Amino acid sequence: MFTGIIEEIGVLQAKQHRGDVITIKIGCKKVLENVKIGDSISSNGVCLTVTKFDDYGFWADLTPESLKRSTFASSTMGSRVNLERAMLANSRLDGHIVSGHVDTMTTLQSLQKLQNSYVLSFALARDYQKLVVEKGSIAINGISLTVTDVTANAFSVSVIPHSFEITNLHQLKEGNRVNIEFDQLGKYILKEKEQSTLSYDKLAEWGY
């Protein structure tokens, strides 16, 4: 599990196809502290397992599922990658619970600089409208953000300058794609609601 609080920006340094799997190397420094083979590192919101590392970065494998749902399939050498190590049991949860299991990708529609913040608007597909709520949490490229506005086909987030500058958000341009993970709790609640047979009539029948 992760918190969505980015620790550093890494750089995609290598990308090798091995059948239906792609092995990548991400150059970094901070997230290598006390790293071990098998550790999990959130990379642009994708939970990757460290398979090898040196003093300058780590290697990980991307499965067909990860490639289908994330931007790594089209990422080029030199791409900036948001990195976060897995949270510790005694850590503060400063963002929100992020699993590192990306749900889908979406496109940046607009980026507006205000006096003390940035407003980023993203396309919202019909299939995912129920999972995005105003003031709810969402992870964009692994960053824990709060939804500030939702329309029929888009949603917006407001980002403070600090978060904008220390993540790869500041490199986004209109039309760029990003990885999205919807709020874990919201997904469970929606699934339970859709599968539940509970209704007002049923509650009345039970005397409530």
mmCIF file of all heavy atoms in Angstrom, residues 114-157:
data_model
loop_
_atom_site.group_PDB
_atom_site.id
_atom_site.type_symbol
_atom_site.label_atom_id
_atom_site.label_comp_id
_atom_site.label_asym_id
_atom_site.label_seq_id
_atom_site.Cartn_x
_atom_site.Cartn_y
_atom_site.Cartn_z
ATOM 1 N N LEU A 114 -3.433 29.574 -11.382
ATOM 2 C CA LEU A 114 -4.058 30.642 -10.608
ATOM 3 C C LEU A 114 -2.987 31.335 -9.777
ATOM 4 O O LEU A 114 -1.792 31.036 -9.919
ATOM 5 C CB LEU A 114 -5.164 30.064 -9.729
ATOM 6 C CG LEU A 114 -6.250 29.257 -10.456
ATOM 7 C CD1 LEU A 114 -7.280 28.756 -9.472
ATOM 8 C CD2 LEU A 114 -6.903 30.101 -11.542
ATOM 9 N N GLN A 115 -3.386 32.207 -8.897
ATOM 10 C CA GLN A 115 -2.410 32.970 -8.129
ATOM 11 C C GLN A 115 -1.581 32.075 -7.218
ATOM 12 O O GLN A 115 -0.350 32.210 -7.148
ATOM 13 C CB GLN A 115 -3.120 34.046 -7.301
ATOM 14 C CG GLN A 115 -2.149 34.982 -6.585
ATOM 15 C CD GLN A 115 -2.867 36.133 -5.902
ATOM 16 O OE1 GLN A 115 -4.083 36.231 -5.934
ATOM 17 N NE2 GLN A 115 -2.104 37.019 -5.274
ATOM 18 N N ASN A 116 -2.244 31.145 -6.518
ATOM 19 C CA ASN A 116 -1.531 30.294 -5.564
ATOM 20 C C ASN A 116 -1.815 28.810 -5.761
ATOM 21 O O ASN A 116 -1.622 28.013 -4.837
ATOM 22 C CB ASN A 116 -1.899 30.686 -4.123
ATOM 23 C CG ASN A 116 -1.371 32.064 -3.762
ATOM 24 O OD1 ASN A 116 -0.177 32.321 -3.891
ATOM 25 N ND2 ASN A 116 -2.262 32.941 -3.338
ATOM 26 N N SER A 117 -2.248 28.434 -6.929
ATOM 27 C CA SER A 117 -2.529 27.023 -7.186
ATOM 28 C C SER A 117 -2.654 26.778 -8.688
ATOM 29 O O SER A 117 -2.627 27.723 -9.488
ATOM 30 C CB SER A 117 -3.826 26.592 -6.485
ATOM 31 O OG SER A 117 -4.936 27.279 -7.039
ATOM 32 N N TYR A 118 -2.788 25.518 -9.030
ATOM 33 C CA TYR A 118 -3.013 25.103 -10.413
ATOM 34 C C TYR A 118 -4.279 24.257 -10.449
ATOM 35 O O TYR A 118 -4.513 23.438 -9.548
ATOM 36 C CB TYR A 118 -1.847 24.267 -10.935
ATOM 37 C CG TYR A 118 -0.537 25.013 -11.005
ATOM 38 C CD1 TYR A 118 0.274 25.128 -9.881
ATOM 39 C CD2 TYR A 118 -0.111 25.602 -12.194
ATOM 40 C CE1 TYR A 118 1.483 25.815 -9.939
ATOM 41 C CE2 TYR A 118 1.104 26.275 -12.261
ATOM 42 C CZ TYR A 118 1.886 26.373 -11.130
ATOM 43 O OH TYR A 118 3.083 27.047 -11.185
ATOM 44 N N VAL A 119 -5.090 24.438 -11.471
ATOM 45 C CA VAL A 119 -6.285 23.625 -11.662
ATOM 46 C C VAL A 119 -6.092 22.790 -12.915
ATOM 47 O O VAL A 119 -5.881 23.329 -14.000
ATOM 48 C CB VAL A 119 -7.558 24.486 -11.779
ATOM 49 C CG1 VAL A 119 -8.766 23.595 -12.085
ATOM 50 C CG2 VAL A 119 -7.792 25.272 -10.495
ATOM 51 N N LEU A 120 -6.154 21.472 -12.745
ATOM 52 C CA LEU A 120 -5.994 20.549 -13.861
ATOM 53 C C LEU A 120 -7.320 19.833 -14.093
ATOM 54 O O LEU A 120 -7.918 19.309 -13.143
ATOM 55 C CB LEU A 120 -4.899 19.522 -13.581
ATOM 56 C CG LEU A 120 -3.455 20.020 -13.559
ATOM 57 C CD1 LEU A 120 -3.136 20.740 -12.246
ATOM 58 C CD2 LEU A 120 -2.486 18.860 -13.748
ATOM 59 N N SER A 121 -7.772 19.820 -15.330
ATOM 60 C CA SER A 121 -9.019 19.148 -15.685
ATOM 61 C C SER A 121 -8.718 17.960 -16.588
ATOM 62 O O SER A 121 -7.910 18.071 -17.520
ATOM 63 C CB SER A 121 -9.979 20.112 -16.389
ATOM 64 O OG SER A 121 -10.355 21.159 -15.515
ATOM 65 N N PHE A 122 -9.381 16.842 -16.307
ATOM 66 C CA PHE A 122 -9.149 15.599 -17.028
ATOM 67 C C PHE A 122 -10.458 15.043 -17.571
ATOM 68 O O PHE A 122 -11.521 15.233 -16.973
ATOM 69 C CB PHE A 122 -8.519 14.546 -16.104
ATOM 70 C CG PHE A 122 -7.181 14.937 -15.565
ATOM 71 C CD1 PHE A 122 -7.075 15.640 -14.371
ATOM 72 C CD2 PHE A 122 -6.015 14.607 -16.242
ATOM 73 C CE1 PHE A 122 -5.844 16.001 -13.863
ATOM 74 C CE2 PHE A 122 -4.774 14.967 -15.740
ATOM 75 C CZ PHE A 122 -4.684 15.666 -14.553
ATOM 76 N N ALA A 123 -10.359 14.338 -18.679
ATOM 77 C CA ALA A 123 -11.537 13.691 -19.253
ATOM 78 C C ALA A 123 -12.022 12.591 -18.316
ATOM 79 O O ALA A 123 -11.231 11.919 -17.658
ATOM 80 C CB ALA A 123 -11.196 13.103 -20.624
ATOM 81 N N LEU A 124 -13.328 12.392 -18.269
ATOM 82 C CA LEU A 124 -13.933 11.370 -17.418
ATOM 83 C C LEU A 124 -14.877 10.522 -18.256
ATOM 84 O O LEU A 124 -15.926 10.994 -18.706
ATOM 85 C CB LEU A 124 -14.690 12.018 -16.258
ATOM 86 C CG LEU A 124 -15.408 11.082 -15.284
ATOM 87 C CD1 LEU A 124 -14.411 10.135 -14.632
ATOM 88 C CD2 LEU A 124 -16.156 11.881 -14.225
ATOM 89 N N ALA A 125 -14.505 9.274 -18.479
ATOM 90 C CA ALA A 125 -15.323 8.365 -19.279
ATOM 91 C C ALA A 125 -16.587 7.981 -18.518
ATOM 92 O O ALA A 125 -16.603 7.926 -17.278
ATOM 93 C CB ALA A 125 -14.527 7.110 -19.630
ATOM 94 N N ARG A 126 -17.648 7.706 -19.257
ATOM 95 C CA ARG A 126 -18.940 7.372 -18.647
ATOM 96 C C ARG A 126 -18.837 6.191 -17.677
ATOM 97 O O ARG A 126 -19.478 6.176 -16.621
ATOM 98 C CB ARG A 126 -19.945 7.047 -19.750
ATOM 99 C CG ARG A 126 -21.343 6.714 -19.233
ATOM 100 C CD ARG A 126 -22.275 6.374 -20.380
ATOM 101 N NE ARG A 126 -22.427 7.508 -21.279
ATOM 102 C CZ ARG A 126 -23.312 8.481 -21.084
ATOM 103 N NH1 ARG A 126 -24.107 8.455 -20.025
ATOM 104 N NH2 ARG A 126 -23.407 9.478 -21.935
ATOM 105 N N ASP A 127 -18.018 5.194 -18.006
ATOM 106 C CA ASP A 127 -17.903 3.997 -17.164
ATOM 107 C C ASP A 127 -17.373 4.306 -15.769
ATOM 108 O O ASP A 127 -17.568 3.509 -14.846
ATOM 109 C CB ASP A 127 -16.981 2.970 -17.827
ATOM 110 C CG ASP A 127 -17.591 2.357 -19.081
ATOM 111 O OD1 ASP A 127 -18.816 2.522 -19.280
ATOM 112 O OD2 ASP A 127 -16.854 1.726 -19.853
ATOM 113 N N TYR A 128 -16.703 5.430 -15.617
ATOM 114 C CA TYR A 128 -16.062 5.737 -14.336
ATOM 115 C C TYR A 128 -16.699 6.914 -13.602
ATOM 116 O O TYR A 128 -16.199 7.330 -12.553
ATOM 117 C CB TYR A 128 -14.583 6.028 -14.569
ATOM 118 C CG TYR A 128 -13.834 4.851 -15.143
ATOM 119 C CD1 TYR A 128 -13.342 4.889 -16.450
ATOM 120 C CD2 TYR A 128 -13.617 3.698 -14.401
ATOM 121 C CE1 TYR A 128 -12.646 3.815 -16.988
ATOM 122 C CE2 TYR A 128 -12.936 2.615 -14.932
ATOM 123 C CZ TYR A 128 -12.455 2.674 -16.228
ATOM 124 O OH TYR A 128 -11.782 1.608 -16.755
ATOM 125 N N GLN A 129 -17.791 7.435 -14.115
ATOM 126 C CA GLN A 129 -18.403 8.612 -13.507
ATOM 127 C C GLN A 129 -18.835 8.376 -12.061
ATOM 128 O O GLN A 129 -18.721 9.256 -11.215
ATOM 129 C CB GLN A 129 -19.592 9.070 -14.356
ATOM 130 C CG GLN A 129 -19.186 9.715 -15.672
ATOM 131 C CD GLN A 129 -20.380 10.045 -16.550
ATOM 132 O OE1 GLN A 129 -21.509 9.706 -16.234
ATOM 133 N NE2 GLN A 129 -20.123 10.704 -17.674
ATOM 134 N N LYS A 130 -19.290 7.162 -11.758
ATOM 135 C CA LYS A 130 -19.764 6.869 -10.402
ATOM 136 C C LYS A 130 -18.624 6.831 -9.384
ATOM 137 O O LYS A 130 -18.875 6.886 -8.176
ATOM 138 C CB LYS A 130 -20.491 5.522 -10.388
ATOM 139 C CG LYS A 130 -21.789 5.505 -11.180
ATOM 140 C CD LYS A 130 -22.433 4.127 -11.098
ATOM 141 C CE LYS A 130 -23.736 4.077 -11.887
ATOM 142 N NZ LYS A 130 -24.362 2.730 -11.840
ATOM 143 N N LEU A 131 -17.385 6.714 -9.870
ATOM 144 C CA LEU A 131 -16.253 6.567 -8.962
ATOM 145 C C LEU A 131 -15.570 7.883 -8.630
ATOM 146 O O LEU A 131 -14.625 7.909 -7.845
ATOM 147 C CB LEU A 131 -15.229 5.604 -9.577
ATOM 148 C CG LEU A 131 -15.682 4.140 -9.659
ATOM 149 C CD1 LEU A 131 -14.727 3.341 -10.532
ATOM 150 C CD2 LEU A 131 -15.761 3.535 -8.264
ATOM 151 N N VAL A 132 -16.037 8.969 -9.232
ATOM 152 C CA VAL A 132 -15.421 10.272 -8.984
ATOM 153 C C VAL A 132 -16.447 11.190 -8.337
ATOM 154 O O VAL A 132 -17.501 11.466 -8.921
ATOM 155 C CB VAL A 132 -14.897 10.899 -10.295
ATOM 156 C CG1 VAL A 132 -14.210 12.223 -10.010
ATOM 157 C CG2 VAL A 132 -13.924 9.951 -10.992
ATOM 158 N N VAL A 133 -16.141 11.660 -7.129
ATOM 159 C CA VAL A 133 -17.075 12.533 -6.416
ATOM 160 C C VAL A 133 -16.339 13.780 -5.959
ATOM 161 O O VAL A 133 -15.140 13.748 -5.650
ATOM 162 C CB VAL A 133 -17.713 11.827 -5.201
ATOM 163 C CG1 VAL A 133 -18.577 10.664 -5.647
ATOM 164 C CG2 VAL A 133 -16.652 11.364 -4.218
ATOM 165 N N GLU A 134 -17.046 14.888 -5.922
ATOM 166 C CA GLU A 134 -16.457 16.142 -5.446
ATOM 167 C C GLU A 134 -15.980 15.987 -4.009
ATOM 168 O O GLU A 134 -16.684 15.422 -3.167
ATOM 169 C CB GLU A 134 -17.490 17.270 -5.541
ATOM 170 C CG GLU A 134 -16.913 18.635 -5.252
ATOM 171 C CD GLU A 134 -17.922 19.744 -5.492
ATOM 172 O OE1 GLU A 134 -18.847 19.546 -6.314
ATOM 173 O OE2 GLU A 134 -17.778 20.807 -4.850
ATOM 174 N N LYS A 135 -14.788 16.443 -3.736
ATOM 175 C CA LYS A 135 -14.102 16.359 -2.437
ATOM 176 C C LYS A 135 -13.616 14.945 -2.131
ATOM 177 O O LYS A 135 -13.081 14.702 -1.037
ATOM 178 C CB LYS A 135 -14.979 16.856 -1.278
ATOM 179 C CG LYS A 135 -15.517 18.260 -1.466
ATOM 180 C CD LYS A 135 -14.409 19.266 -1.734
ATOM 181 C CE LYS A 135 -14.985 20.663 -1.948
ATOM 182 N NZ LYS A 135 -13.945 21.631 -2.375
ATOM 183 N N GLY A 136 -13.767 14.028 -3.071
ATOM 184 C CA GLY A 136 -13.252 12.676 -2.895
ATOM 185 C C GLY A 136 -11.786 12.598 -3.299
ATOM 186 O O GLY A 136 -11.226 13.524 -3.891
ATOM 187 N N SER A 137 -11.156 11.479 -2.979
ATOM 188 C CA SER A 137 -9.743 11.286 -3.295
ATOM 189 C C SER A 137 -9.568 10.561 -4.628
ATOM 190 O O SER A 137 -10.405 9.748 -5.023
ATOM 191 C CB SER A 137 -9.061 10.468 -2.189
ATOM 192 O OG SER A 137 -9.084 11.154 -0.962
ATOM 193 N N ILE A 138 -8.458 10.848 -5.282
ATOM 194 C CA ILE A 138 -8.107 10.184 -6.529
ATOM 195 C C ILE A 138 -6.590 10.224 -6.660
ATOM 196 O O ILE A 138 -5.947 11.157 -6.171
ATOM 197 C CB ILE A 138 -8.788 10.864 -7.739
ATOM 198 C CG1 ILE A 138 -8.728 9.968 -8.978
ATOM 199 C CG2 ILE A 138 -8.179 12.240 -8.009
ATOM 200 C CD1 ILE A 138 -9.668 10.420 -10.088
ATOM 201 N N ALA A 139 -6.005 9.195 -7.262
ATOM 202 C CA ALA A 139 -4.562 9.163 -7.488
ATOM 203 C C ALA A 139 -4.293 9.363 -8.975
ATOM 204 O O ALA A 139 -4.802 8.612 -9.811
ATOM 205 C CB ALA A 139 -3.963 7.852 -7.014
ATOM 206 N N ILE A 140 -3.513 10.381 -9.300
ATOM 207 C CA ILE A 140 -3.139 10.694 -10.681
ATOM 208 C C ILE A 140 -1.628 10.546 -10.796
ATOM 209 O O ILE A 140 -0.886 11.248 -10.106
ATOM 210 C CB ILE A 140 -3.579 12.108 -11.074
ATOM 211 C CG1 ILE A 140 -5.108 12.242 -10.961
ATOM 212 C CG2 ILE A 140 -3.112 12.449 -12.487
ATOM 213 C CD1 ILE A 140 -5.622 13.646 -11.222
ATOM 214 N N ASN A 141 -1.186 9.606 -11.631
ATOM 215 C CA ASN A 141 0.246 9.274 -11.709
ATOM 216 C C ASN A 141 0.813 8.992 -10.323
ATOM 217 O O ASN A 141 1.954 9.339 -10.011
ATOM 218 C CB ASN A 141 1.037 10.397 -12.393
ATOM 219 C CG ASN A 141 0.987 10.305 -13.903
ATOM 220 O OD1 ASN A 141 0.432 9.350 -14.456
ATOM 221 N ND2 ASN A 141 1.543 11.280 -14.592
ATOM 222 N N GLY A 142 -0.017 8.372 -9.474
ATOM 223 C CA GLY A 142 0.410 7.993 -8.137
ATOM 224 C C GLY A 142 0.318 9.079 -7.096
ATOM 225 O O GLY A 142 0.647 8.862 -5.929
ATOM 226 N N ILE A 143 -0.147 10.280 -7.476
ATOM 227 C CA ILE A 143 -0.224 11.419 -6.556
ATOM 228 C C ILE A 143 -1.613 11.471 -5.917
ATOM 229 O O ILE A 143 -2.619 11.473 -6.622
ATOM 230 C CB ILE A 143 0.028 12.744 -7.298
ATOM 231 C CG1 ILE A 143 1.306 12.669 -8.136
ATOM 232 C CG2 ILE A 143 0.088 13.910 -6.323
ATOM 233 C CD1 ILE A 143 1.374 13.730 -9.214
ATOM 234 N N SER A 144 -1.650 11.535 -4.608
ATOM 235 C CA SER A 144 -2.930 11.665 -3.907
ATOM 236 C C SER A 144 -3.452 13.085 -4.064
ATOM 237 O O SER A 144 -2.821 14.048 -3.632
ATOM 238 C CB SER A 144 -2.746 11.352 -2.418
ATOM 239 O OG SER A 144 -3.945 11.609 -1.705
ATOM 240 N N LEU A 145 -4.628 13.214 -4.706
ATOM 241 C CA LEU A 145 -5.219 14.524 -4.957
ATOM 242 C C LEU A 145 -6.698 14.512 -4.585
ATOM 243 O O LEU A 145 -7.316 13.445 -4.497
ATOM 244 C CB LEU A 145 -5.050 14.909 -6.429
ATOM 245 C CG LEU A 145 -3.591 15.113 -6.891
ATOM 246 C CD1 LEU A 145 -3.514 15.194 -8.400
ATOM 247 C CD2 LEU A 145 -2.997 16.362 -6.252
ATOM 248 N N THR A 146 -7.249 15.699 -4.391
ATOM 249 C CA THR A 146 -8.659 15.831 -4.051
ATOM 250 C C THR A 146 -9.424 16.398 -5.242
ATOM 251 O O THR A 146 -9.010 17.398 -5.829
ATOM 252 C CB THR A 146 -8.840 16.773 -2.838
ATOM 253 O OG1 THR A 146 -8.137 16.229 -1.721
ATOM 254 C CG2 THR A 146 -10.316 16.911 -2.482
ATOM 255 N N VAL A 147 -10.529 15.756 -5.578
ATOM 256 C CA VAL A 147 -11.378 16.216 -6.678
ATOM 257 C C VAL A 147 -12.098 17.486 -6.245
ATOM 258 O O VAL A 147 -12.738 17.523 -5.197
ATOM 259 C CB VAL A 147 -12.400 15.130 -7.067
ATOM 260 C CG1 VAL A 147 -13.335 15.643 -8.157
ATOM 261 C CG2 VAL A 147 -11.684 13.863 -7.529
ATOM 262 N N THR A 148 -11.999 18.525 -7.054
ATOM 263 C CA THR A 148 -12.644 19.796 -6.701
ATOM 264 C C THR A 148 -13.911 20.056 -7.505
ATOM 265 O O THR A 148 -14.746 20.857 -7.097
ATOM 266 C CB THR A 148 -11.681 20.975 -6.920
ATOM 267 O OG1 THR A 148 -11.200 20.949 -8.274
ATOM 268 C CG2 THR A 148 -10.491 20.875 -5.978
ATOM 269 N N ASP A 149 -14.052 19.386 -8.644
ATOM 270 C CA ASP A 149 -15.233 19.618 -9.478
ATOM 271 C C ASP A 149 -15.445 18.413 -10.380
ATOM 272 O O ASP A 149 -14.481 17.791 -10.841
ATOM 273 C CB ASP A 149 -15.050 20.880 -10.320
ATOM 274 C CG ASP A 149 -16.315 21.265 -11.071
ATOM 275 O OD1 ASP A 149 -17.402 21.240 -10.452
ATOM 276 O OD2 ASP A 149 -16.228 21.568 -12.271
ATOM 277 N N VAL A 150 -16.717 18.088 -10.613
ATOM 278 C CA VAL A 150 -17.062 16.966 -11.485
ATOM 279 C C VAL A 150 -18.189 17.388 -12.410
ATOM 280 O O VAL A 150 -19.186 17.966 -11.968
ATOM 281 C CB VAL A 150 -17.526 15.731 -10.678
ATOM 282 C CG1 VAL A 150 -17.771 14.544 -11.610
ATOM 283 C CG2 VAL A 150 -16.503 15.357 -9.616
ATOM 284 N N THR A 151 -18.030 17.119 -13.705
ATOM 285 C CA THR A 151 -19.094 17.356 -14.679
ATOM 286 C C THR A 151 -19.432 16.025 -15.339
ATOM 287 O O THR A 151 -18.906 14.975 -14.960
ATOM 288 C CB THR A 151 -18.656 18.381 -15.746
ATOM 289 O OG1 THR A 151 -17.577 17.829 -16.513
ATOM 290 C CG2 THR A 151 -18.210 19.676 -15.099
ATOM 291 N N ALA A 152 -20.275 16.065 -16.341
ATOM 292 C CA ALA A 152 -20.710 14.830 -17.000
ATOM 293 C C ALA A 152 -19.566 14.102 -17.684
ATOM 294 O O ALA A 152 -19.570 12.873 -17.783
ATOM 295 C CB ALA A 152 -21.806 15.145 -18.017
ATOM 296 N N ASN A 153 -18.558 14.843 -18.141
ATOM 297 C CA ASN A 153 -17.481 14.188 -18.890
ATOM 298 C C ASN A 153 -16.083 14.642 -18.491
ATOM 299 O O ASN A 153 -15.127 14.459 -19.237
ATOM 300 C CB ASN A 153 -17.670 14.416 -20.390
ATOM 301 C CG ASN A 153 -17.794 15.889 -20.733
ATOM 302 O OD1 ASN A 153 -17.489 16.754 -19.919
ATOM 303 N ND2 ASN A 153 -18.245 16.177 -21.940
ATOM 304 N N ALA A 154 -15.959 15.245 -17.293
ATOM 305 C CA ALA A 154 -14.642 15.698 -16.855
ATOM 306 C C ALA A 154 -14.621 15.868 -15.340
ATOM 307 O O ALA A 154 -15.662 15.955 -14.688
ATOM 308 C CB ALA A 154 -14.268 17.011 -17.534
ATOM 309 N N PHE A 155 -13.412 15.909 -14.788
ATOM 310 C CA PHE A 155 -13.245 16.247 -13.376
ATOM 311 C C PHE A 155 -11.985 17.100 -13.236
ATOM 312 O O PHE A 155 -11.095 17.072 -14.082
ATOM 313 C CB PHE A 155 -13.145 14.986 -12.500
ATOM 314 C CG PHE A 155 -11.866 14.217 -12.655
ATOM 315 C CD1 PHE A 155 -10.770 14.455 -11.835
ATOM 316 C CD2 PHE A 155 -11.748 13.224 -13.621
ATOM 317 C CE1 PHE A 155 -9.583 13.745 -11.982
ATOM 318 C CE2 PHE A 155 -10.575 12.500 -13.775
ATOM 319 C CZ PHE A 155 -9.490 12.760 -12.948
ATOM 320 N N SER A 156 -11.927 17.861 -12.151
ATOM 321 C CA SER A 156 -10.804 18.760 -11.925
ATOM 322 C C SER A 156 -10.197 18.527 -10.555
ATOM 323 O O SER A 156 -10.874 18.089 -9.622
ATOM 324 C CB SER A 156 -11.251 20.223 -12.037
ATOM 325 O OG SER A 156 -11.759 20.500 -13.317
ATOM 326 N N VAL A 157 -8.905 18.833 -10.445
ATOM 327 C CA VAL A 157 -8.211 18.806 -9.160
ATOM 328 C C VAL A 157 -7.460 20.126 -9.017
ATOM 329 O O VAL A 157 -7.051 20.729 -10.002
ATOM 330 C CB VAL A 157 -7.221 17.627 -9.052
ATOM 331 C CG1 VAL A 157 -7.963 16.299 -9.061
ATOM 332 C CG2 VAL A 157 -6.184 17.674 -10.172
#
